[in-house]
PDB file of all heavy atoms in Angstrom:
ATOM      1  N   PHE A  15     -19.442  11.786   4.350  1.00 97.00           N
ATOM      2  CA  PHE A  15     -19.055  12.538   5.545  1.00 97.00           C
ATOM      3  C   PHE A  15     -20.050  13.690   5.609  1.00 97.00           C
ATOM      4  O   PHE A  15     -19.997  14.602   4.764  1.00 97.00           O
ATOM      5  CB  PHE A  15     -17.627  13.065   5.442  1.00 97.00           C
ATOM      6  CG  PHE A  15     -16.589  11.992   5.624  1.00 97.00           C
ATOM      7  CD1 PHE A  15     -15.780  11.612   4.565  1.00 97.00           C
ATOM      8  CD2 PHE A  15     -16.416  11.366   6.852  1.00 97.00           C
ATOM      9  CE1 PHE A  15     -14.822  10.621   4.725  1.00 97.00           C
ATOM     10  CE2 PHE A  15     -15.463  10.365   7.028  1.00 97.00           C
ATOM     11  CZ  PHE A  15     -14.661   9.992   5.964  1.00 97.00           C
ATOM     12  N   VAL A  20     -18.472  10.728  -0.520  1.00 97.00           N
ATOM     13  CA  VAL A  20     -17.063  10.550  -0.918  1.00 97.00           C
ATOM     14  C   VAL A  20     -16.938   9.348  -1.845  1.00 97.00           C
ATOM     15  O   VAL A  20     -16.409   9.457  -2.948  1.00 97.00           O
ATOM     16  CB  VAL A  20     -16.164  10.402   0.338  1.00 97.00           C
ATOM     17  CG1 VAL A  20     -14.737  10.102  -0.062  1.00 97.00           C
ATOM     18  CG2 VAL A  20     -16.227  11.664   1.170  1.00 97.00           C
ATOM     19  N   PRO A  39      -7.756  11.275  -8.139  1.00 96.00           N
ATOM     20  CA  PRO A  39      -7.507  12.686  -7.830  1.00 96.00           C
ATOM     21  C   PRO A  39      -7.427  12.931  -6.324  1.00 96.00           C
ATOM     22  O   PRO A  39      -7.993  12.174  -5.535  1.00 96.00           O
ATOM     23  CB  PRO A  39      -8.736  13.402  -8.410  1.00 96.00           C
ATOM     24  CG  PRO A  39      -9.417  12.424  -9.293  1.00 96.00           C
ATOM     25  CD  PRO A  39      -9.027  11.059  -8.847  1.00 96.00           C
ATOM     26  N   SER A  40      -6.733  13.993  -5.951  1.00 94.00           N
ATOM     27  CA  SER A  40      -6.601  14.334  -4.543  1.00 94.00           C
ATOM     28  C   SER A  40      -7.989  14.539  -3.925  1.00 94.00           C
ATOM     29  O   SER A  40      -8.854  15.182  -4.520  1.00 94.00           O
ATOM     30  CB  SER A  40      -5.772  15.616  -4.428  1.00 94.00           C
ATOM     31  OG  SER A  40      -5.525  15.859  -3.075  1.00 94.00           O
ATOM     32  N   GLY A  41      -8.196  13.936  -2.759  1.00 94.00           N
ATOM     33  CA  GLY A  41      -9.462  14.114  -2.048  1.00 94.00           C
ATOM     34  C   GLY A  41     -10.594  13.243  -2.557  1.00 94.00           C
ATOM     35  O   GLY A  41     -11.745  13.406  -2.131  1.00 94.00           O
ATOM     36  N   CYS A  42     -10.286  12.274  -3.439  1.00 96.00           N
ATOM     37  CA  CYS A  42     -11.379  11.472  -4.012  1.00 96.00           C
ATOM     38  C   CYS A  42     -11.832  10.362  -3.064  1.00 96.00           C
ATOM     39  O   CYS A  42     -12.894   9.767  -3.282  1.00 96.00           O
ATOM     40  CB  CYS A  42     -10.980  10.885  -5.366  1.00 96.00           C
ATOM     41  SG  CYS A  42      -9.769   9.563  -5.259  1.00 96.00           S
ATOM     42  N   GLY A  43     -11.029  10.071  -2.042  1.00 96.00           N
ATOM     43  CA  GLY A  43     -11.488   9.064  -1.085  1.00 96.00           C
ATOM     44  C   GLY A  43     -10.614   7.821  -0.995  1.00 96.00           C
ATOM     45  O   GLY A  43     -11.057   6.780  -0.502  1.00 96.00           O
ATOM     46  N   LYS A  44      -9.356   7.932  -1.420  1.00 96.00           N
ATOM     47  CA  LYS A  44      -8.460   6.764  -1.401  1.00 96.00           C
ATOM     48  C   LYS A  44      -8.201   6.311   0.045  1.00 96.00           C
ATOM     49  O   LYS A  44      -8.305   5.127   0.362  1.00 96.00           O
ATOM     50  CB  LYS A  44      -7.130   7.100  -2.110  1.00 96.00           C
ATOM     51  CG  LYS A  44      -7.320   7.506  -3.570  1.00 96.00           C
ATOM     52  CD  LYS A  44      -6.015   7.811  -4.255  1.00 96.00           C
ATOM     53  CE  LYS A  44      -5.323   9.058  -3.757  1.00 96.00           C
ATOM     54  NZ  LYS A  44      -6.090  10.306  -3.977  1.00 96.00           N
ATOM     55  N   SER A  45      -7.875   7.283   0.917  1.00 95.00           N
ATOM     56  CA  SER A  45      -7.612   6.911   2.321  1.00 95.00           C
ATOM     57  C   SER A  45      -8.879   6.419   2.991  1.00 95.00           C
ATOM     58  O   SER A  45      -8.843   5.492   3.814  1.00 95.00           O
ATOM     59  CB  SER A  45      -7.059   8.111   3.105  1.00 95.00           C
ATOM     60  OG  SER A  45      -5.856   8.543   2.527  1.00 95.00           O
ATOM     61  N   THR A  46     -10.013   7.026   2.609  1.00 97.00           N
ATOM     62  CA  THR A  46     -11.290   6.574   3.174  1.00 97.00           C
ATOM     63  C   THR A  46     -11.526   5.111   2.824  1.00 97.00           C
ATOM     64  O   THR A  46     -11.981   4.325   3.665  1.00 97.00           O
ATOM     65  CB  THR A  46     -12.444   7.463   2.637  1.00 97.00           C
ATOM     66  OG1 THR A  46     -12.149   8.815   2.976  1.00 97.00           O
ATOM     67  CG2 THR A  46     -13.773   7.055   3.214  1.00 97.00           C
ATOM     68  N   GLU A 148       0.198   5.759   0.900  1.00 92.00           N
ATOM     69  CA  GLU A 148       1.305   6.596   0.419  1.00 92.00           C
ATOM     70  C   GLU A 148       2.567   6.424   1.282  1.00 92.00           C
ATOM     71  O   GLU A 148       3.123   7.402   1.775  1.00 92.00           O
ATOM     72  CB  GLU A 148       0.881   8.070   0.440  1.00 92.00           C
ATOM     73  CG  GLU A 148      -0.295   8.365  -0.452  1.00 92.00           C
ATOM     74  CD  GLU A 148      -0.630   9.844  -0.420  1.00 92.00           C
ATOM     75  OE1 GLU A 148       0.302  10.632  -0.605  1.00 92.00           O
ATOM     76  OE2 GLU A 148      -1.793  10.178  -0.209  1.00 92.00           O
ATOM     77  N   HIS A 181      -0.122   8.448  -4.953  1.00 94.00           N
ATOM     78  CA  HIS A 181      -0.290   9.487  -5.970  1.00 94.00           C
ATOM     79  C   HIS A 181       0.675   9.245  -7.118  1.00 94.00           C
ATOM     80  O   HIS A 181       0.591   9.892  -8.157  1.00 94.00           O
ATOM     81  CB  HIS A 181       0.056  10.865  -5.383  1.00 94.00           C
ATOM     82  CG  HIS A 181      -1.055  11.453  -4.606  1.00 94.00           C
ATOM     83  ND1 HIS A 181      -0.960  11.737  -3.272  1.00 94.00           N
ATOM     84  CD2 HIS A 181      -2.303  11.805  -4.980  1.00 94.00           C
ATOM     85  CE1 HIS A 181      -2.103  12.243  -2.869  1.00 94.00           C
ATOM     86  NE2 HIS A 181      -2.930  12.290  -3.874  1.00 94.00           N
ATOM     87  N   ARG A 199     -14.649  12.933  -6.800  1.00 95.00           N
ATOM     88  CA  ARG A 199     -15.720  12.740  -5.837  1.00 95.00           C
ATOM     89  C   ARG A 199     -17.076  13.188  -6.403  1.00 95.00           C
ATOM     90  O   ARG A 199     -17.111  14.225  -7.059  1.00 95.00           O
ATOM     91  CB  ARG A 199     -15.377  13.587  -4.601  1.00 95.00           C
ATOM     92  CG  ARG A 199     -15.696  12.969  -3.319  1.00 95.00           C
ATOM     93  CD  ARG A 199     -15.227  13.789  -2.167  1.00 95.00           C
ATOM     94  NE  ARG A 199     -15.618  15.182  -2.269  1.00 95.00           N
ATOM     95  CZ  ARG A 199     -14.783  16.193  -2.088  1.00 95.00           C
ATOM     96  NH1 ARG A 199     -13.536  15.984  -1.823  1.00 95.00           N
ATOM     97  NH2 ARG A 199     -15.215  17.421  -2.182  1.00 95.00           N
TER      98      ARG A 199
HETATM   99  N1  LIG B   1     -13.174  12.146   9.178  1.00 87.47           N
HETATM  100  C1  LIG B   1     -13.597  12.947   8.192  1.00 87.47           C
HETATM  101  N2  LIG B   1     -14.579  13.839   8.389  1.00 87.47           N
HETATM  102  C2  LIG B   1     -15.035  14.618   7.399  1.00 87.47           C
HETATM  103  N3  LIG B   1     -14.543  14.602   6.140  1.00 87.47           N
HETATM  104  C3  LIG B   1     -13.549  13.729   5.891  1.00 87.47           C
HETATM  105  C4  LIG B   1     -13.028  12.875   6.889  1.00 87.47           C
HETATM  106  N4  LIG B   1     -12.041  12.120   6.340  1.00 87.47           N
HETATM  107  C5  LIG B   1     -11.959  12.503   5.045  1.00 87.47           C
HETATM  108  N5  LIG B   1     -12.858  13.472   4.777  1.00 87.47           N
HETATM  109  C6  LIG B   1     -13.085  14.096   3.484  1.00 87.47           C
HETATM  110  O1  LIG B   1     -13.352  13.059   2.552  1.00 87.47           O
HETATM  111  C7  LIG B   1     -12.733  13.336   1.304  1.00 87.47           C
HETATM  112  C8  LIG B   1     -11.822  12.195   0.919  1.00 87.47           C
HETATM  113  O2  LIG B   1     -10.719  12.172   1.814  1.00 87.47           O
HETATM  114  P1  LIG B   1      -9.553  11.097   1.650  1.00 87.47           P
HETATM  115  O3  LIG B   1      -8.495  11.461   2.634  1.00 87.47           O
HETATM  116  O4  LIG B   1     -10.129   9.742   1.712  1.00 87.47           O
HETATM  117  O5  LIG B   1      -9.093  11.400   0.160  1.00 87.47           O
HETATM  118  P2  LIG B   1      -7.747  10.970  -0.571  1.00 87.47           P
HETATM  119  O6  LIG B   1      -8.127  10.573  -1.943  1.00 87.47           O
HETATM  120  O7  LIG B   1      -7.007   9.967   0.244  1.00 87.47           O
HETATM  121  O8  LIG B   1      -6.982  12.352  -0.556  1.00 87.47           O
HETATM  122  P3  LIG B   1      -5.446  12.690  -0.885  1.00 87.47           P
HETATM  123  O9  LIG B   1      -5.180  12.123  -2.242  1.00 87.47           O
HETATM  124  O10 LIG B   1      -5.409  14.188  -0.897  1.00 87.47           O
HETATM  125  O11 LIG B   1      -4.618  12.070   0.189  1.00 87.47           O
HETATM  126  C9  LIG B   1     -12.010  14.677   1.471  1.00 87.47           C
HETATM  127  O12 LIG B   1     -12.838  15.690   0.969  1.00 87.47           O
HETATM  128  C10 LIG B   1     -11.857  14.808   2.967  1.00 87.47           C
HETATM  129  O13 LIG B   1     -11.881  16.168   3.346  1.00 87.47           O
END
Side-chain angles (χ1 to χ4, degrees):
F15 286 113
V20 175
S40 186
C42 72
K44 300 181 292 297
S45 300
T46 303
E148 299 182 50
H181 279 118
R199 219 175 49 228

